[in-house]
Structures are given as structure tokens and as C-alpha cells.
Amino acid sequence: MTETQMRITKNGQAIESLDAWLERAGPKSRDQWVSGRSAMETARAWLEGGPAGLPPEVHAILESSQHFGPPSHWRAEPEVKLRFDDFRGETRNSDLVVWASDRWGPYVMGVEAKADESFSQTVAEALNAALERAIANPNSRGVPRIEQLVCSLLPPSVAGVPDIASLRYQLLTACAGVLAEAARSDCSRAVMLVHEFITPKTSDVRHAANARDLERFVSRLSRGADDSIPVGQLQGPYIVPGMPLFENPPALFIGKVQRNLREGLGSRV
């Protein structure tokens, strides 16, 4: 089997069709595997490919960045568990992880696929749930996990930036997961990429809410230097505090691309 055919794999097996993706890396509930929702549309976009085998919108965002370029080669795996700390329990689950190299060397990209699903609970909600678990079980380590995570990723606050409590916890774990994988892979760059699908089944109100949540996170991460995430543009590099999670954290980049699948539109940005 050629390198091109083996670009997307799961547990060493090539994924070359929607059926294979569903069988080897599909969602827990088959109800989520429908046209117009993120699971199937992610599979379709990455299997269809484009320039260099990447979805055109992903190829474009890399090509337009001064810190990246078209990959000389890449491989990807859907539904990857990325451990970023030593606490027991659930690991970070990335929708798709891409290991790639360009003229500057290797890097890792974690893809967060969204139709109009939210970025889940806020840090405040995650902390409250962790405190409740600690009351019920003194051995629970959810509170120190959250403390370690925010201290490793976020700089001290400055006037005008969002408070930590209001940030979406999933964005922190997504960045921590790809940073940890980049460090394990001896890469100096890590990308957290949101791949958004606008479909007849998605809500513009929810898309807008997700955009605001991503902008708030980047504003806090950059101490107010960046207060927006233009579609199709990588932001960064961001050098996170690192400790106690990462001794020498890779440079972090954050971006967002869109694929518009509504009838009569069909644009990709």
C-alpha cells in the first residue's frame, strides 16, 4: 500500500472510505453519523482531499502562514486520545490528529471538528463539577488537574481580557493535548485548528456563539494582543507558561477554517 493510501489510518489500518471511517473511528452513537453533522462531514472532507491531499481550506491556511507551508508529507488519525498530564481518568480526545512536515520541519495539528456543537462547559462549570466529585470522593483529582492546566497554558491577567472562569474548558484541553503530542513527537510547533462545517442542519446563532468563545480564549491567551480569529488565518505563535505540564512547550498556533455546505453556497474558507 502506498504512502498516499496510508495517509489516514486507525490502529494501523488504512481508512479510505466513509464506511471504513465509521467502522474504525466513528462516533459512539450511530445517530451522530449523519450528513450535515461534524462526524461525517469531517470524514468526507479529509477523505476527499485536495492540494497535497489535504482539504483545500486546510491547505490554504497553512500555505498562507509565514510560519508554515504546504506539507511535504503528512499522516492523520481520527479519534486520538492525547494525554497531557499524569492524572488518572479520561484523556483528551481529539477529533483528528495530523503529523506533518514542511520546509521548517515537523509539527503536529489537532483538529477540532464542529458543525454547531458548542465548546462544552466553561472552566467555572468544570471546576464546580470537580469540586462536587472531590466532596463525594476525596481521592478525586479533578481540581488539581484544572489548576495545573490553566497555570500551564494561560498568562497572568491584564485589564480588559476575559476571566478564566468564562473560558471554554474544551479549548484549554484541546491546546494542552496537541502541545503534549508535539512535545512527545519532538516538534517545535503545535496547531489547534477548528474545522467548522456550515450546513442546512446548523444554526447561525450557534456558529456565532462558538466564534465568540474562540475569540475570548485567544484574547486571554494573548493577553489582549489578539481579540479575533479571522477565518482562514493562523494566529500565533503563542508561547505558553508551560510549567508544570511542559518543561519546554512548543510554539502554539490557533486557527479556524470553514466549509459551507448549504445549498447554493458551497464555499470553503
Side-chain angles (χ1 to χ4, degrees), residues 85-161:
D85 60 29
D86 294 327
F87 293 112
R88 296 168 59 185
E90 281 292 317
T91 55
R92 167 66 194 161
N93 194 70
S94 182
D95 295 319
L96 188 76
V97 177
V98 182
W99 295 264
S101 292
D102 59 17
R103 63 182 181 271
W104 288 283
Y107 61 92
V108 176
M109 179 165 59
V111 178
E112 295 301 303
K114 294 293 179 186
D116 60 2
E117 306 92 343
S118 75
F119 290 109
S120 194
Q121 60 191 166
T122 63
V123 172
E125 291 166 339
L127 182 59
N128 181 70
L131 288 167
E132 293 288 359
R133 291 195 299 273
I135 293 171
N137 177 11
N139 294 321
S140 174
R141 306 297 292 162
V143 174
R145 165 176 269 178
I146 294 172
E147 180 182 11
Q148 180 175 269
L149 178 63
V150 298
C151 289
S152 298
L153 289 183
L154 299 177
S157 181
V158 295
V161 300

Side-chain angles (χ1 to χ4, degrees), residues 47-268:
L47 289 170
E48 286 177 355
L54 293 168
E57 58 270 33
V58 177
H59 183 273
I61 198 174
L62 294 171
E63 191 174 42
S64 66
S65 172
Q66 63 177 324
H67 301 283
F68 290 84
S72 55
H73 64 271
W74 61 272
R75 63 183 179 89
E77 181 177 340
E79 297 298 321
V80 181
K81 295 186 181 299
L82 298 178
R83 183 167 291 281
F84 58 80
D85 60 29
D86 294 327
F87 293 112
R88 296 168 59 185
E90 281 292 317
T91 55
R92 167 66 194 161
N93 194 70
S94 182
D95 295 319
L96 188 76
V97 177
V98 182
W99 295 264
S101 292
D102 59 17
R103 63 182 181 271
W104 288 283
Y107 61 92
V108 176
M109 179 165 59
V111 178
E112 295 301 303
K114 294 293 179 186
D116 60 2
E117 306 92 343
S118 75
F119 290 109
S120 194
Q121 60 191 166
T122 63
V123 172
E125 291 166 339
L127 182 59
N128 181 70
L131 288 167
E132 293 288 359
R133 291 195 299 273
I135 293 171
N137 177 11
N139 294 321
S140 174
R141 306 297 292 162
V143 174
R145 165 176 269 178
I146 294 172
E147 180 182 11
Q148 180 175 269
L149 178 63
V150 298
C151 289
S152 298
L153 289 183
L154 299 177
S157 181
V158 295
V161 300
D163 60 84
I164 293 174
S166 68
L167 303 180
R168 294 290 172 175
Y169 187 62
Q170 188 180 97
L171 290 171
L172 274 78
T173 60
C175 290
V178 74
L179 282 167
E181 182 59 26
R184 283 190 291 267
S185 302
D186 294 322
C187 297
S188 61
R189 294 169 294 163
V191 181
M192 196 283 283
L193 182 71
V194 177
H195 199 169
E196 183 178 61
F197 298 91
I198 301 172
T199 82
K201 297 179 180 177
T202 62
S203 160
D204 288 341
V205 171
R206 292 179 179 176
H207 286 303
N210 281 349
R212 288 193 297 271
D213 285 333
L214 185 59
E215 288 170 354
R216 288 173 62 80
F217 175 71
V218 171
S219 178
R220 179 56 196 259
L221 185 68
S222 67
R223 304 190 80 192
D226 296 325
D227 58 5
S228 66
I229 290 284
V231 175
Q233 180 178 313
L234 280 178
Q235 301 282 75
Y238 303 114
I239 305 302
V240 301
M243 296 301 290
L245 283 182
F246 315 104
E247 186 173 350
N248 295 299
L252 174 65
F253 297 82
I254 296 177
K256 176 180 174 180
V257 295
Q258 289 177 334
R259 178 168 290 207
N260 196 325
L261 300 171
R262 288 180 180 163
E263 186 177 0
L265 298 177
S267 62
R268 299 168 183 181

